[in-house]
Amino acid sequence: MDYFARPSLSAIAGGIALGLSISPFANAEPAADNTVQKGVLEEVLVTARKRSESMQDIPIAVTAISADSLRERGISNTSELTKSVPSLEIRKGQANQIYIRGIGERTGFARVDPTVGVYLDDLFLPRSDGQLLDTVDIASIQVLRGPQGTLFGKNTTGGAMVVSLQKPDAEPAAYVEAGVGNYAQRRLKAGVNWPISDHFFTRAAINITKDDGYFENVATGQNNPTNDRQSLLLQTRWEASEHFSLDTQAFLGKIRENLSGINCSVPSQEALYIQGLWVAHPGDTDPANLRAFQENCDANSRERLGDLKSNQGPNPRLQKDLDTALLAATADWQISDTLSLKSVIGLRGEKEGPIQASDPDGGPALWSSYINTEDSDRRSYSFELQLNGSAFEQRLRYTAGLFAMQETNSENFTVSNSIRGIDSQTLAELALSQSPTRPVPGGTVPLVGFIGAPLVVSDFELENTTLAAFTQASFDISQQLELTLGYRITEEQRQSELSTTEADMAAIEQRLLGSGLFGNGTNIGVFGPGAGGFFPYLGPLGWRDDPVSIAAALFPDANGDALHDYPLDPNTRRKDIGDETFRQATPMVSLAYTLPDHWLDGELLNSAMFYATWSRGFKSGFFEPRGVDGLQRINPEVVTNNEIGFKIDAFERSVRINGAFYHMDFDDQQLIAVGSDSAQNVVVVFGNAGQSEIRGAELELLWLPSSALQINASLSINNYRYIEFTELDLQSAIVGQEKFVDRSNETFPVSPDKSASLGVQYTWSGDIGIVTSRLDLSYKSDVFYGFDPASYAAFKDSPEKAGQPAYALLDGRLTWQNPAGDLSVSAWAKNITDERYRIGVVAVADSSGTYNQAWGEPRMFGLDLRQLF
């Protein structure tokens, strides 16, 4: 008796591919059209548990989007998924920053792992850079929300994104997609599937995406952000027998584009580099009335320049050059009808050129620069073994495996600070560990010097080795009740080598004294040993001579590399080594209950599954440079998720409603913040937040009122809060006092508390073909983009001071398909209302005092053509 009737593994493998949860189309090769024409939802199969299963049967919050749906919505890059997938935020910068349920990583530094694992056909991608997230030759994308620490494991405290490619097969086929749009947008995608023999098939695809950018830097006449990506993907499939297949892929990618430009604003005049320390900059002639910093920021403000313009100086260093190569092979052996073995081998190499990491002053002046000045090389080698099987007439289904990966990264990071001024009254107060007061009008004796080291060149050599063993099993206790247990043990060895070289302070002093305008320096150690002394100005008019500009002119950027030409002292070279192995177990347990058939009437309620899951995710610790203190250990972060959810098909399978409610405990959350080292140098570093908490709910709806009309909607509501998070107060640290700030009332950065989407699609059929119209509306609540407590205070006062107020975007698309179904033409528009909204970058109101703002795309429109052969 087949008590629990389930398809065999071999039948599943030949069934429907990965599909769509918020569209009626299940996959790139959907079932018969008459199913959709009747307004009936198709089954969607996903691989969220390393085997193909119906999405409505698995106890995981997952959204799966097919290639057809990606085209229907005009999604050409996965960053656009943030508009419709609940609790998902993706920001494009130096690296793709992916957040799920408020958990993400925003810097792109090679030493810091992302928190959302990205997988390409079972291959783990340790860095989410490059075109691998362009939707070229993609069959589907799955977004798994919540920690996936058992089967996916590495770096999945937020969740996982699984990208599946179209695979070679026995049918010759080809396609060409071309598109043009405003801002000189042009796109070309093409692919061909070509069988070599009855058992060996090949597939090739190219992707070229270019535009001229929509944000002008008035200082250079260049636009940014621009897109300039080219990629080539080659795949083969060898079906040696009905039981064994071997898939290979080779990917080459090239990026030559500009990153987003910024505008500047000042959320707080109390910042350290403004009135917190009464620091003067080039152009200041009265220490009691500091204006230069604000004027520099205003020179790059939206209010001063107008819409979609920036002024970041003659060399903003925003060029992103990235070359990627990837080789992978997947062998799949169907040992029997109930047992299969899969091995996945991957090799990946990347080289990224020099690029600006941050511009703390925010304006066109060359005052502070954080730049990667050398190429960054990244290599990874991985191997995974998966055993999938079933027993007891498929009442028991299990997966077990091993994972190993070695990753090496090199990274250069250079910090350059301009010379600054301070009044003798202020310096005396700081020497007495007093918070400085406003200097007397006109000032007393001007002094020039450095707050922190003038120049620090840091070279990282990183090696990560990961080993893991995992298993997960699902058992049908009854026809309605399923129990799933999983366990993973992970061991990560982190080896970090940091070499630093600092400026030659003796040579800098000699240049200042040699000018005849500055006297001997006095080093009272206020701003750390790397800062050197402060030198009194000897000119006749004192502050009115603008002594800071005179001193800064002695250290120009002669070679135009956006760094002050301070001489380096090889004797300051220091090497620091960190080496530690982090171990963590990540278990999970889930109980799912499917309503029995006799509870369902077949009209109102067709199927319903309810589940409760407890799961855990882990991200390794690492070593972080902290000024003169060298490498400091950052603790691993662990997320524990308690979740209940439901998945319902109703009204003769014309309505699908999936939802989840969750409570996540977040231990030792890894956050970047502005702090200080033991020598009172201001440093931007990672740390641990102690304990945090996330409470939320997600809902997805798909409704087919008729065969021609489709409505989809989503909603996510999240409450993020720190429970234990204290940080050293910068102002107090500078004057030698130990004072801590309680940040437990703050929200998480980057992720909005609420997001929603609504999509409406209508299709007309006639003798001339098929016409499909679609509108998509997406909504985001207030988003915080700050690093520090003062930024959060500014954000609470007004979100636009250190974040983005709530906003909505409207997209539209009209597509005609010819009667033969092999030609389609689409006219589209995104951000139809031309909304202005910030997509980052960061506010640092406590230290530099700036909010650097990047802006999202204005109204975009264009025309796409797709031809099948």
Side-chain angles (χ1 to χ4, degrees):
M1 176 180 179
D2 189 9
Y3 183 65
F4 302 119
R6 294 179 182 267
S8 67
L9 289 177
S10 58
I12 289 177
I16 303 174
L18 304 176
L20 176 64
S21 66
I22 52 177
S23 167
F25 301 102
N27 50 51
E29 298 177 2
D33 285 343
N34 60 353
T35 304
V36 176
Q37 292 169 0
K38 294 177 182 177
V40 177
L41 297 166
E42 292 183 349
E43 183 182 30
V44 176
L45 297 189
V46 296
T47 56
R49 298 197 292 188
K50 298 291 188 181
R51 57 181 181 269
S52 292
E53 300 174 286
S54 172
M55 186 186 67
Q56 296 302 94
D57 291 340
I58 62 171
I60 296 175
V62 56
T63 297
I65 303 181
S66 71
D68 285 340
S69 183
L70 292 171
R71 282 191 295 273
E72 288 170 1
R73 301 172 185 221
I75 294 176
S76 58
N77 187 280
T78 52
S79 62
E80 297 178 271
L81 295 176
T82 189
K83 294 181 180 180
S84 58
V85 176
S87 299
L88 175 68
E89 294 295 319
I90 302 179
R91 297 286 183 259
K92 290 179 63 179
Q94 289 189 52
N96 291 297
Q97 302 168 10
I98 308 175
Y99 283 71
I100 296 180
R101 294 179 177 175
I103 303 175
E105 199 284 299
R106 65 192 296 189
T107 67
F109 292 146
R111 62 185 181 271
V112 188
D113 286 344
T115 61
V116 175
V118 178
Y119 290 79
L120 183 70
D121 280 346
D122 285 308
L123 179 68
F124 174 66
L125 306 178
R127 309 291 149 190
S128 55
D129 292 338
Q131 304 98 318
L132 290 176
L133 294 184
D134 279 343
T135 57
V136 54
D137 229 22
I138 287 179
S140 67
I141 300 174
Q142 297 175 69
V143 179
L144 285 59
R145 300 186 293 277
Q148 306 294 322
T150 300
L151 290 180
F152 292 93
K154 186 173 174 62
N155 303 341
T156 56
T157 49
M161 180 179 292
V162 181
V163 180
S164 298
L165 296 171
Q166 300 277 9
K167 305 310 295 182
D169 58 34
E171 295 297 325
Y175 69 89
V176 174
E177 297 179 15
V180 295
N182 59 337
Y183 299 102
Q185 295 179 73
R186 55 264 195 213
R187 296 180 299 277
L188 175 66
K189 295 182 181 180
V192 59
N193 186 87
W194 192 258
I196 303 300
S197 68
D198 291 341
H199 303 287
F200 187 75
F201 322 122
T202 63
R203 189 177 183 95
I206 62 169
N207 175 59
I208 300 173
T209 300
K210 296 187 177 185
D211 62 46
D212 289 349
Y214 57 85
F215 204 80
E216 180 188 357
N217 182 359
V218 298
T220 64
Q222 295 179 338
N223 284 5
N224 50 326
T226 60
N227 292 297
D228 187 350
R229 301 189 295 274
Q230 304 171 53
S231 60
L232 171 66
L233 176 66
L234 301 174
Q235 298 183 82
T236 69
R237 183 177 183 87
W238 177 38
E239 294 182 349
S241 70
E242 62 178 324
H243 302 297
F244 181 83
S245 64
L246 177 65
D247 292 306
T248 68
Q249 61 174 278
F251 174 89
L252 295 174
K254 179 180 178 181
I255 291 179
R256 298 292 185 270
E257 56 192 26
N258 293 336
L259 296 180
S260 296
I262 61 169
N263 287 137
C264 180
S265 64
V266 175
S268 174
Q269 291 289 335
E270 303 301 318
L272 286 182
Y273 290 178
I274 311 178
Q275 294 183 7
L277 295 175
W278 295 99
V279 174
H281 295 78
D284 278 322
T285 57
D286 182 356
N289 183 23
L290 302 173
R291 297 182 300 177
F293 191 91
Q294 180 74 61
E295 289 173 354
N296 179 58
C297 178
D298 288 345
N300 187 26
S301 67
R302 188 166 184 258
E303 291 73 18
R304 176 77 60 85
L305 298 171
D307 190 30
L308 300 180
K309 295 180 183 294
S310 70
N311 181 6
Q312 293 181 253
N315 187 12
R317 298 293 293 267
L318 295 176
Q319 296 80 18
K320 182 183 179 74
D321 295 346
L322 179 68
D323 296 317
T324 302
L326 181 146
L327 296 172
T330 301
D332 201 336
W333 180 24
Q334 194 74 37
I335 300 173
S336 68
D337 287 342
T338 60
L339 189 65
S340 67
L341 183 67
K342 178 186 288 187
S343 68
V344 183
I345 299 174
L347 298 89
R348 188 182 191 217
E350 283 187 342
K351 175 175 285 189
E352 184 175 42
I355 198 169
Q356 183 195 95
S358 176
D359 181 14
D361 60 69
L366 181 60
W367 288 348
S368 297
S369 298
Y370 298 174
I371 296 177
N372 300 110
T373 49
E374 302 291 340
D375 289 343
S376 174
D377 290 306
R378 307 162 191 171
R379 300 287 185 272
S380 64
Y381 313 88
S382 64
F383 173 75
E384 183 165 349
L385 195 65
Q386 301 173 15
L387 184 69
N388 290 279
S390 64
F392 308 114
E393 295 182 321
Q394 298 193 48
R395 292 182 62 180
L396 175 67
R397 299 162 303 282
Y398 58 86
T399 299
L402 301 171
F403 174 80
M405 191 189 81
Q406 184 178 56
E407 181 186 15
T408 59
N409 298 297
S410 69
E411 188 171 58
N412 171 279
F413 189 69
T414 299
V415 177
S416 174
N417 288 304
S418 174
I419 200 165
R420 293 180 170 91
I422 198 165
D423 192 77
S424 59
Q425 171 191 325
T426 303
L427 195 62
E429 291 172 335
L430 290 170
L432 296 174
S433 297
Q434 298 175 359
S435 295
T437 58
R438 180 189 291 270
V440 297
T444 55
V445 177
L447 299 102
V448 298
F450 296 95
I451 301 177
L455 186 68
V456 180
V457 179
S458 301
D459 292 293
F460 285 91
E461 295 293 336
L462 310 168
E463 183 173 328
N464 307 329
T465 302
T466 305
L467 299 173
F470 58 89
T471 184
Q472 184 169 299
S474 299
F475 181 72
D476 292 331
I477 299 173
S478 69
Q479 191 170 7
Q480 278 71 51
L481 190 62
E482 177 194 71
L483 174 67
T484 301
L485 299 173
Y487 190 84
R488 187 184 190 102
I489 184 72
T490 302
E491 179 178 286
E492 293 215 27
Q493 183 182 18
R494 295 291 174 123
Q495 295 177 311
S496 301
E497 181 179 299
L498 170 63
S499 299
T500 58
T501 307
E502 299 186 20
D504 188 335
M505 295 307 303
I508 291 175
E509 180 178 2
Q510 183 178 5
R511 190 176 301 183
L512 284 167
L513 298 179
S515 69
L517 295 173
F518 299 92
N520 292 323
T522 300
N523 186 357
I524 60 174
V526 173
F527 300 113
F534 277 81
F535 303 85
Y537 175 63
L538 305 178
L541 300 181
W543 279 107
R544 285 179 293 172
D545 282 340
D546 190 2
V548 187
S549 290
I550 293 172
L554 299 174
F555 306 95
D557 176 21
N559 60 2
D561 63 354
L563 295 170
H564 293 282
D565 292 335
Y566 300 118
L568 285 172
D569 182 0
N571 294 323
T572 63
R573 187 170 180 84
R574 183 182 62 189
K575 182 177 292 186
D576 199 0
I577 296 176
D579 189 346
E580 185 168 345
T581 298
F582 300 91
R583 297 179 181 86
Q584 181 69 43
T586 49
M588 67 84 63
V589 59
S590 181
L591 198 63
Y593 182 78
T594 303
L595 293 186
D597 290 341
H598 64 270
W599 287 16
L600 310 173
D601 59 15
E603 295 182 2
L604 177 63
L605 197 62
N606 304 109
S607 68
M609 187 269 285
F610 302 87
Y611 68 88
T613 297
W614 179 91
S615 60
R616 180 166 287 172
F618 157 76
K619 191 176 87 164
S620 174
F622 60 97
F623 294 94
E624 171 78 352
R626 193 178 184 91
V628 300
D629 300 330
L631 291 174
Q632 303 291 302
R633 180 185 190 272
I634 303 300
N635 294 330
E637 63 179 31
V638 177
V639 177
T640 302
N641 182 39
N642 304 277
E643 181 172 330
I644 58 174
F646 60 87
K647 299 185 176 185
I648 296 172
D649 285 354
F651 298 105
E652 297 182 319
R653 297 195 182 277
S654 65
V655 174
R656 176 166 293 159
I657 305 175
N658 294 344
F661 303 88
Y662 43 87
H663 176 276
M664 293 193 284
D665 294 315
F666 205 164
D667 294 329
D668 287 321
Q669 181 178 1
Q670 297 170 0
L671 285 174
I672 193 167
V674 180
S676 65
D677 60 18
S678 60
Q680 289 82 50
N681 290 307
V682 175
V683 290
V684 180
V685 294
F686 269 86
N688 295 107
Q691 287 189 321
S692 311
E693 179 184 70
I694 302 170
R695 295 182 179 179
E698 297 161 347
L699 185 69
E700 290 183 283
L701 167 70
L702 172 62
W703 179 27
L704 305 180
S706 70
S707 60
L709 180 62
Q710 168 195 333
I711 299 173
N712 58 269
S714 70
L715 173 68
S716 60
I717 301 174
N718 290 284
N719 181 15
Y720 315 110
R721 71 186 187 104
Y722 304 114
I723 298 175
E724 296 180 7
F725 187 17
T726 59
E727 193 172 74
L728 192 66
D729 179 68
L730 284 181
Q731 179 79 27
S732 300
I734 289 296
V735 299
Q737 301 173 4
E738 189 175 77
K739 179 182 176 182
F740 291 90
V741 179
D742 183 6
R743 301 187 63 182
S744 59
N745 65 333
E746 295 185 22
T747 189
F748 288 7
V750 178
S751 295
D753 291 341
K754 303 177 184 66
S755 62
S757 69
L758 174 66
V760 179
Q761 181 172 306
Y762 193 83
T763 302
W764 294 267
S765 298
D767 294 338
I768 63 170
I770 299 174
V771 177
T772 301
S773 63
R774 183 178 182 92
L775 284 176
D776 284 287
L777 178 67
S778 61
Y779 167 83
K780 304 288 183 184
S781 64
D782 298 347
V783 183
F784 175 50
Y785 286 126
F787 273 168
D788 48 33
S791 296
Y792 187 71
F795 173 75
K796 294 299 290 183
D797 179 61
S798 177
E800 64 185 9
K801 289 183 177 180
Q804 168 60 39
Y807 66 98
L809 300 177
L810 180 65
D811 299 342
R813 193 173 185 88
L814 183 66
T815 301
W816 168 79
Q817 185 182 69
N818 69 347
D822 59 356
L823 174 65
S824 62
V825 180
S826 300
W828 55 269
K830 297 179 181 180
N831 190 6
I832 294 173
T833 59
D834 205 22
E835 180 80 8
R836 293 292 176 268
Y837 60 101
R838 301 164 182 84
I839 56 173
V841 178
V842 65
V844 279
D846 271 326
S847 54
S848 67
T850 56
Y851 175 26
N852 292 338
Q853 308 150 53
W855 296 86
E857 291 181 344
R859 182 187 296 117
M860 297 285 186
F861 53 86
L863 197 68
D864 292 344
L865 180 145
R866 175 177 169 86
Q867 177 71 61
L868 304 179
F869 302 95

